[in-house]
C-alpha cells in the first residue's frame, strides 16, 4: 500500500475527513498510476497511520477520504540518537536514510576536526531541508509513522558541552571494551552514539569526550568507515536489545 507523509501543518487527519492532497503527493499518485477507489496510507508523524481511499484524481490534484485509523507503531522501545561527524559527499544522505530504517529517534550532525565538509549558515539550511526530505521518504518506505528529529549541525565541542539525558557512547578503535559486551551487560536504554568522520575523532577530541563523561567503546577488530560504523552499531544494539 503506498504511504505518504502529510505534515500536521498541512492538514488534520481524522476518520471521515475528505481532504485535498498536497501537489507533490498528487503528482506521485499520478506517476504510479493510482485510480479513484484505490487505497493509500497517510501519516503525520504524530503516531499511527490512516487508511484512506482516493476519491478524485486529476492532472494536478487528488483527494482522499480517510476510512480507518491504525494505532500500530514500529518504533524502538528505547531512544537512539545518532551523533554523526560530518562526512564528505553524499555519505550523510546514505547514513540518514539507513539510520531511519534502523529506527533512530534523532540525528545530530557534528563538525569535528577531521570533517572535510564545512557548512556555512546558508549551506547548512539547504542541507537541513534536503536531509529532512530524506527522513520523510525513508519513513514512507520503511513503515515508520514517526520522523526522526533532525538537529542543526553544531561543532563537536558544542555538543559535548550540552546536557544530555541519554547515555553517551563514542566508538574508537583504541577502546578496550566492545559495544557488544557493554550492551549484553546493560538493559535497553536511551543512547547517544557518537561517530567520527573520515579518519575518526582525533586523540584530543576523544580525550575531551571522555572528560565530558562519554563512554569509549569499540565496534570490533576491524576499522569501519564512517558510513558503516554508526549503522553497524545501531543494528548491533537492536539485535542484542530486541529492537530488530
Amino acid at each position: 500500500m503506498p504511504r505518504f507523509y502529510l505534515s500536521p501543518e498541512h492538514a488534520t487527519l481524522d476518520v471521515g475527513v475528505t481532504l485535498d492532497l498536497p501537489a507533490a503527493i498528487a503528482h506521485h499518485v499520478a506517476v504510479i498510476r493510482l485510480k479513484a477507489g484505490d487505497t493509500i496510507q497517510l501519516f503525520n508523524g504524530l503516531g499511527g497511520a490512516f487508511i484512506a481511499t482516493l476519491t478524485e484524481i486529476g492532472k494536478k490534484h487528488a483527494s482522499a477520504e480517510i476510512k480507518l485509523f491504525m494505532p500500530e507503531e514500529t518504533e524502538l522501545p528505547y531512544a537512539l540518537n545518532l551523533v554523526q561527524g560530518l562526512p564528505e559527499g553524499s555519505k550523510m544522505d546514505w547514513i540518514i536514510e539507513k539510520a531511519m530504517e534502523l529506527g533512530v529517534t534523532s540525528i545530530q550532525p557534528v563538525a569535528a576536526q577531521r570533517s572535510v565538509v564545512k557548512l556555512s549558515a546558508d549551506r547548512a539550511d539547504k542541507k537541513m531541508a534536503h536531509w529532512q526530505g530524506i527522513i520523510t521518504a525513508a519513513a514512507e518506505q520503511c513503515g515508520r509513522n514517526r520522523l526522526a528529529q533532525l538537529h542543526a549541525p553544531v561543532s563537536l565541542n558544542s555538543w559535548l558541552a550540552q546536557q544530555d539525558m541519554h547515555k553517551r557512547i563514542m566508538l574508537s578503535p583504541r577502546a578496550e571494551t566492545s559495544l557488544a559486551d557493554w550492551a549484553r551487560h546493560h538493559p535497553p536504554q536511551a543512547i547517544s552514539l557518537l561517530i567520527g568522520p573520515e579518519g575518526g575523532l582525533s586523540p584530543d577530541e576523544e580525550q575531551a569526550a571522555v572528560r565530558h563523561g562519554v563512554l569509549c567503546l569499540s565496534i570490533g577488530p576491524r576499522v569501519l568507515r564512517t558510513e558503516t560504523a554508526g549503522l553497524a552499531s545501531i543494528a548491533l544494539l537492536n539485535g542484542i536489545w530486541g529492537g530488530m
Side-chain angles (χ1 to χ4, degrees):
M1 185 185 305
R3 283 169 42 86
F4 301 102
Y5 170 74
L6 269 73
S7 69
E9 293 78 13
H10 176 85
T12 299
L13 300 183
D14 202 0
V15 175
V17 170
T18 298
L19 70 161
D20 292 329
L21 301 176
I25 295 179
H27 175 71
H28 193 168
V29 164
V31 167
I32 61 177
R33 300 181 182 277
L34 294 180
K35 302 178 177 62
D38 286 345
T39 302
I40 61 173
Q41 193 174 122
L42 303 173
F43 66 103
N44 58 10
L46 301 179
F50 295 83
I51 303 300
T53 300
L54 291 169
T55 55
E56 184 179 358
I57 300 178
K59 291 184 178 180
K60 295 184 178 180
H61 75 279
S63 59
E65 181 182 0
I66 298 176
K67 300 289 190 178
L68 178 68
F69 175 68
M70 300 174 59
E72 293 82 4
E73 295 287 355
T74 60
E75 298 302 298
L76 297 176
Y78 41 86
L80 283 181
N81 177 32
L82 177 61
V83 184
Q84 175 66 51
L86 285 168
E88 63 181 354
S90 61
K91 290 179 181 178
M92 193 67 173
D93 295 2
W94 166 269
I95 292 169
I96 289 174
E97 179 183 74
K98 302 311 173 188
M100 268 296 295
E101 292 177 23
L102 290 170
V104 298
T105 310
S106 59
I107 300 167
Q108 173 65 76
V110 294
Q113 290 179 14
R114 294 172 179 167
S115 290
V116 176
V117 173
K118 307 296 181 184
L119 296 179
S120 63
D122 180 61
R123 193 175 174 207
D125 288 342
K126 292 179 180 178
K127 279 291 187 183
M128 286 286 287
H130 174 67
W131 292 335
Q132 191 64 56
I134 292 173
I135 288 174
T136 299
E140 291 176 339
Q141 179 272 321
C142 74
R144 291 183 64 181
N145 294 324
R146 297 179 185 271
L147 306 184
Q149 183 178 5
L150 177 64
H151 299 283
V154 297
S155 69
L156 177 60
N157 288 335
S158 295
W159 179 76
L160 290 174
Q162 295 174 5
Q163 296 295 322
D164 195 338
M165 298 300 293
H166 294 186
K167 179 69 176 179
R168 300 203 285 186
I169 292 175
M170 161 182 62
L171 292 187
S172 170
R174 289 171 286 278
E176 296 181 357
T177 303
S178 73
L179 176 64
D181 286 342
W182 180 88
R184 291 189 189 100
H185 292 88
H186 290 80
Q189 59 190 279
I191 295 291
S192 285
L193 188 64
L194 172 60
I195 307 296
E198 292 91 350
L201 300 172
S202 71
D204 287 345
E205 288 175 322
E206 288 193 1
Q207 292 169 14
V210 171
R211 288 196 300 271
H212 282 85
V214 180
L215 180 62
C216 186
L217 300 173
S218 75
I219 190 63
R222 291 167 296 281
V223 178
L224 303 183
R225 293 180 180 273
T226 184
E227 65 268 30
T228 308
L231 302 178
S233 300
I234 295 165
L236 183 150
L237 288 171
N238 288 348
I240 293 175
W241 285 349
M244 294 299 289

